[in-house]
Amino acid sequence: MTTRARRFRVAAPLLLSLLTSGCARDAPQGFLKPVGEAARKADALWDVVFLIAVVIFVIVEGLLVFAIIRFRHRPGRKPAQFEGNPRLEVILVLIPALILAGIAIPTVRTIFDLAEAPPKAERLDVTVIAHQFWWEYRYPDLGIETANELHIPTGKPVYVSLESADVIHSFWVPKLSGKQDNVPGYVNYLTLETDRPGTYFGQCAEYCGLSHANMRLRVVAQTPEGFAQWVAQQQEPSETPNVPLARKGRQLFLQGACAGCHAIEGTDAQGDVGPDLTHFASRRRFAGAIFESTADDLVAWLRDPPAVKPGAKMPDLGLSEDQIEALVAYLRTLR
Ligand code: CUA
C-alpha cells in the first residue's frame, strides 16, 4: 500500500466520524445547547463527567503509548511479571472505585434535584399520554386537551406527568429536559422550563413499534401573554362552519366512523381513542407531528393512514375523494 493510500485509510474514518457526530451548527435536538433550567442542570453534570473522562483517557492512553514504545519487544528481552502482587491489585481496584464514587456524588445530587417537584402554586401541570403513535397533552387545571404540539409558557416550570395508553414510550425534548419513560400503569414525572420563546423539537426515545421513528413532538414555548391567548382559544368549543363543503364534512364526521374515535367539543363527537380535534387547525402538525396541517397532507392521510404512517391505529376508512375533500374542508375550519 502506498503512503498516500495508508493516510487516506486513517483519515477517512476520522473525517466520517466527525461529520456524523452531530457537529451541525443548527442542531434542533442538540442536548449540548440547553435552553432550560432542567436541561442546564443535566448539561452541567455532563460537563463534569466528560472532563473527568477526558483526563482519564489522556492518562490511560498516554501510559499505553508510552508502554508500547518503551517496553517494545527486543531480542533477548523478557517481559516483567506482576501476577500475585496484592498491593498493585488493590491500587488498581481502588483508583477506579474512588473515581466512580467521586462521579456518583454530583450525579445523585442532580438526580434528586431534577426529581423534585416545583411548588404547586408556581407550576403548570400537564399530563402527557403516549399512544401508538402520537402524543396526547392534557392540562387538568385549564380543561384543555390537545395533541402532538405541547404549548408551554416561558418562565414557569411545567410539571409533566408521563403516562402511556399502550406500550412503553419515552418523552424527550433534548433542549428542555432529559428523557423519561412513559410506562403503562405507572406515572413518571419531568420538569420542563425555558426562558426563551420558540419551538423545540423532540421525539419518542424508546422503540415502541412500527412508527416509533414517526413519533415526533414539538414544544411551543410562548410568552405568558401569548400562552394565555392560546389557552383562551383552546378553551372555546368548536364553531359550526358556514361554508357548504365544510358543513358537509362536519356531517360526515359526526355520522361516520370519525366520531367513534375523536372528540370535537361543541359537537356529539366524544371519542377518546384518537386525538381531540376541537382545535385541530390551530396545530401546525398532526399524526405524531410528522405531517403539516395542509390540505395536501390531510388528503394523503385520509386516503390511507397506515400507508403514510406505518402501524397507525386509524384504519383506511375507504373514503371517496369527495368525502375526503369535505372532511379536509371541515378539519381546516377547526381553529
Ligand atoms: Cu413511542 Cu417510540
Side-chain angles (χ1 to χ4, degrees):
M1 195 186 289
T2 62
T3 320
R4 186 180 282 181
R6 209 173 295 138
R7 273 192 200 142
F8 179 76
R9 263 178 65 158
V10 175
L14 275 175
L15 263 174
L16 252 180
S17 54
L18 261 180
L19 278 173
T20 53
S21 61
C23 302
R25 195 185 290 167
D26 174 35
Q29 286 186 208
F31 64 92
L32 295 177
K33 286 183 186 155
V35 291
E37 196 49 34
R40 244 173 250 136
K41 285 175 184 168
D43 185 58
L45 174 65
W46 191 88
D47 287 347
V48 171
V49 175
F50 182 70
L51 189 71
I52 294 172
V54 167
V55 172
I56 294 171
F57 176 83
V58 170
I59 293 175
V60 170
E61 290 303 306
L63 287 173
L64 185 68
V65 171
F66 171 77
I68 287 171
I69 297 168
R70 175 76 177 74
F71 303 109
R72 67 185 179 277
H73 178 69
R74 289 227 178 87
R77 182 185 265 178
K78 287 261 169 350
Q81 299 299 319
F82 294 99
E83 203 196 340
N85 184 336
R87 190 191 284 175
L88 186 69
E89 282 167 15
V90 167
I91 290 173
L92 288 181
V93 170
L94 217 59
I95 292 175
L98 283 175
I99 294 171
L100 289 177
I103 291 177
I105 295 170
T107 305
V108 172
R109 196 183 285 158
T110 308
I111 290 171
F112 276 91
D113 190 7
L114 288 174
E116 204 169 312
K120 178 86 182 150
E122 290 166 22
R123 71 187 195 217
L124 171 70
D125 284 328
V126 178
T127 304
V128 174
I129 305 169
H131 297 256
Q132 280 179 317
F133 297 93
W134 56 283
W135 303 95
E136 179 177 355
Y137 302 124
R138 293 185 184 171
Y139 298 71
D141 300 326
L142 304 174
I144 295 174
E145 273 183 40
T146 181
N148 301 315
E149 285 184 349
L150 174 66
H151 284 247
I152 62 170
T154 54
K156 186 173 197 169
V158 179
Y159 195 50
V160 175
S161 323
L162 299 158
E163 300 173 19
S164 171
D166 36 51
V167 299
I168 299 176
H169 305 261
S170 182
F171 182 84
W172 192 31
V173 192
K175 283 188 177 294
L176 300 186
S177 177
K179 65 178 83 149
Q180 187 71 267
D181 281 1
N182 298 62
V183 183
Y186 189 80
V187 185
N188 273 324
Y189 297 94
L190 191 70
T191 304
L192 300 174
E193 193 175 358
T194 181
D195 289 325
R196 214 187 296 164
T199 302
Y200 302 104
F201 298 91
Q203 64 188 70
C204 179
E206 177 91 39
Y207 181 68
C208 54
L210 278 180
S211 261
H212 157 66
N214 294 326
M215 232 175 131
R216 301 187 64 194
L217 61 98
R218 291 154 66 94
V219 177
V220 182
Q222 294 169 291
T223 58
E225 302 77 45
F227 180 74
Q229 266 176 24
W230 177 81
V231 168
Q233 178 214 8
Q234 298 289 313
Q235 284 172 334
E236 294 288 321
S238 71
E239 281 171 24
T240 307
N242 295 320
V243 183
L245 186 63
R247 285 185 91 94
K248 188 182 153 202
R250 182 177 188 270
Q251 200 183 358
L252 273 169
F253 190 99
L254 297 177
Q255 290 168 359
C258 316
C261 289
H262 296 280
I264 294 181
E265 294 308 322
T267 73
D268 292 337
Q270 293 297 324
D272 63 355
V273 179
D276 183 304
L277 301 177
T278 311
H279 295 283
F280 174 80
S282 72
R283 305 173 202 152
R284 293 183 57 189
R285 301 264 167 163
F286 72 98
I290 52 171
F291 301 107
E292 285 191 56
S293 306
T294 58
D296 285 351
D297 277 10
L298 275 167
V299 167
W301 172 255
L302 289 177
R303 269 189 199 137
D304 188 359
V308 286
K309 193 173 88 172
K313 295 280 147 99
M314 178 163 155
D316 175 4
L317 295 167
L319 299 164
S320 71
E321 291 299 309
D322 286 351
Q323 289 174 319
I324 290 174
E325 200 190 342
L327 282 168
V328 170
Y330 174 51
L331 287 170
R332 283 166 60 80
T333 66
L334 299 172
R335 304 229 147 248

